[in-house]
Amino acid sequence: MYDDPSDRSLVTAAADGEDRAVEAALRPRDLDEFIGQERVREQLSLVLQAAKRRAATPDHVLLSGPPGLGKTTLSMIIAAEMGAPIRITSGPAIQHAGDLAAILSSLTEGEVLFLDEIHRMSRPAEEMLYMAMEDFRVDVVVGKGPGATAIPLELPPFTLVGATTRAGLLPPPLRDRFGFTGHMEFYAPSELERVIHRSARLLDVDIDAAGAAEIAGRSRGTPRIANRLLRRVRDYAQVRHDGEVTRDIAAAALDVYEVDARGLDRLDRAVLHALLKLFGGGPVGLSTLAVAVGEESETVEEVAEPFLVREGLLARTPRGRIATAAAWQHLGLTPPPQSPVAGQQDLFGAAEA
Ligand SMILES: Nc1ncnc2c1ncn2[C@@H]1O[C@H](COP(=O)(O)OP(=O)(O)OP(=O)(O)O)[C@@H](O)[C@H]1O
């Protein structure tokens, strides 16, 4: 069901067509405008300033982290700060070493090459990249079989910016060739509020502080989701009200789109609901849980669970999935007396009160 793009949830972190169309207008253009990620920003700023002083191209940069946190944006900022052009491609688009050779050989001096999903490149392309990164050289193989010859080709110095959601999947020889690795973290709600205020200004949306906070709390720590929710809330405010976004209007709009106060969507809530109401909070096997919500096991495991686990609402144990005290609390339910979390919920509630 969730494979159908028309049924994509509003809180999916990967970009959809509308995101791509509007994101260009919302991207920060320099490091000062880039919100949050203080450590990566400071480290990167040093790398870039040092390169400028030496009048050299900056070292290759690896950016790792989940989708929608600003890796593409940062790569564009690197190019802009260096006054260099940028070429954008992705691992899956480079299936043959020849594809990569064609790109590398057309780079100009100082150019930034952004390679998204670098962990999904083919093996031969990856090996060609090692030499290109280290020696600014590639061997282009001409011909086949015993008569094949390798023609060395010098490349101008360039900066590779690789992006990956899974730094652990990169082979060590590739990882080692990056001079700097930035680990992108999920954004704090206060940072997302700043992202939302900035985007609202650019989109000419009137929003107050409480309205921005309401959207930020539902955005799963991800600027792309925050921007998408802002656009849907804007629609609602314009159609049903006078266009101004307040806390109540943001909450009502996102309730229509089934994104709850903590950023859970319909599937997340269905999984939690089944776990609590049908299985007493677990433990229950993944496939049983999936049947209970009418989804494939993979969908539950890959689409719903990562966020539920990250939020501390669900835990994976060797005996199956279990709900935490926070899950009962979130759905406003009381765990049965025999549940291991019985009583904890009251403590949790008391602590919150
Ligand atoms: N630090 C930030 N400050 C303001 N806006 C941001 C920030 N980071 C990301 N954004 C916004 O979020 C959107 C998504 O960012 P971006 O495309 O750079 O993410 P990404 O990590 O490259 O995602 P993917 O891996 O899916 O390509 C952009 O439109 C940008 O406007």
Side-chain angles (χ1 to χ4, degrees):
M1 179 198 271
Y2 268 71
D3 292 341
D4 176 355
S6 63
D7 199 37
R8 277 167 51 108
S9 159
L10 214 55
V11 287
T12 306
D16 61 22
E18 186 192 336
D19 294 327
R20 291 211 177 81
V22 298
E23 276 182 357
L26 297 180
R27 284 186 202 287
R29 309 271 164 202
D30 58 37
L31 275 180
D32 288 338
E33 237 190 297
F34 193 85
I35 293 159
Q37 308 291 343
E38 301 302 337
R39 185 167 310 167
V40 174
R41 219 148 49 92
E42 184 179 2
Q43 294 166 340
L44 202 52
S45 162
L46 288 170
V47 170
L48 299 182
Q49 281 183 50
K52 275 188 213 165
R53 284 198 191 175
R54 293 194 303 266
T57 48
D59 272 353
H60 304 302
V61 173
L62 180 64
L63 299 173
S64 79
L69 298 192
K71 299 184 292 297
T72 309
T73 305
L74 268 186
S75 74
M76 291 178 168
I77 289 176
I78 292 172
E81 297 263 347
M82 297 307 296
I86 181 166
R87 187 85 55 95
I88 296 182
T89 184
S90 72
I94 299 177
Q95 279 317 309
H96 305 286
D99 301 336
L100 182 63
I103 294 172
L104 291 171
S105 60
S106 65
L107 290 176
T108 55
E109 183 163 348
E111 191 158 353
V112 172
L113 173 62
F114 178 61
L115 230 167
D116 203 3
E117 296 188 81
I118 192 169
H119 58 277
R120 293 181 59 197
M121 220 173 14
S122 73
R123 200 57 207 247
E126 201 174 273
E127 280 166 13
M128 174 179 276
L129 193 59
Y130 297 161
M131 194 195 273
M133 291 171 77
E134 196 150 293
D135 301 330
F136 297 111
R137 194 167 66 87
V138 286
D139 281 340
V140 180
V141 179
V142 180
K144 280 196 172 146
T149 41
I151 302 175
L153 190 69
E154 296 289 327
L155 303 175
F158 66 96
T159 299
L160 177 71
V161 180
T164 179
T165 47
R166 323 268 294 270
L169 288 186
L170 286 191
L174 180 56
R175 230 180 318 159
D176 294 347
R177 283 171 168 80
F178 288 97
F180 164 69
T181 300
H183 297 283
M184 314 277 288
E185 309 280 351
F186 285 107
Y187 290 66
S190 61
E191 293 167 339
L192 288 181
E193 285 171 36
R194 286 165 58 204
V195 170
I196 291 164
H197 278 301
R198 179 180 172 277
S199 300
R201 247 192 336 272
L202 293 170
L203 296 172
D204 209 10
V205 177
D206 194 5
I207 187 168
D208 68 11
E214 189 62 39
I215 298 174
R218 300 182 188 222
S219 300
R220 299 180 173 228
T222 307
R224 171 174 293 134
I225 297 176
N227 284 339
R228 192 186 298 142
L229 297 188
L230 172 65
R231 296 198 302 274
R232 295 293 74 84
V233 170
R234 171 201 55 188
D235 296 347
Y236 180 93
Q238 286 174 349
V239 173
R240 303 253 171 105
H241 297 271
D242 62 359
E244 195 197 342
V245 177
T246 61
R247 180 191 299 277
D248 287 349
I249 287 176
L254 294 174
D255 287 347
V256 169
Y257 286 104
E258 299 183 288
V259 177
D260 78 10
R262 210 163 167 163
L264 272 61
D265 68 4
R266 186 173 47 84
L267 177 64
D268 302 326
R269 290 177 65 84
V271 168
L272 271 197
H273 206 262
L275 181 56
L276 302 184
K277 292 287 274 189
L278 301 180
F279 306 108
V284 60
L286 172 65
S287 49
T288 309
L289 191 56
V291 170
V293 294
E295 289 289 351
E296 301 291 329
S297 297
E298 295 77 36
T299 308
V300 171
E301 188 172 28
E302 288 160 26
V303 180
E305 279 190 356
F307 184 64
L308 296 175
V309 170
R310 197 181 112 207
E311 282 289 288
L313 296 168
L314 176 147
R316 293 169 174 155
T317 73
R319 291 172 53 227
R321 273 54 178 172
I322 56 166
T324 63
W328 291 95
Q329 165 95 4
H330 185 63
L331 291 199
L333 299 170
T334 308
Q338 70 274 20
S339 161
V341 300
Q344 288 179 30
Q345 190 212 21
D346 294 341
L347 286 176
F348 190 62
E352 288 233 318

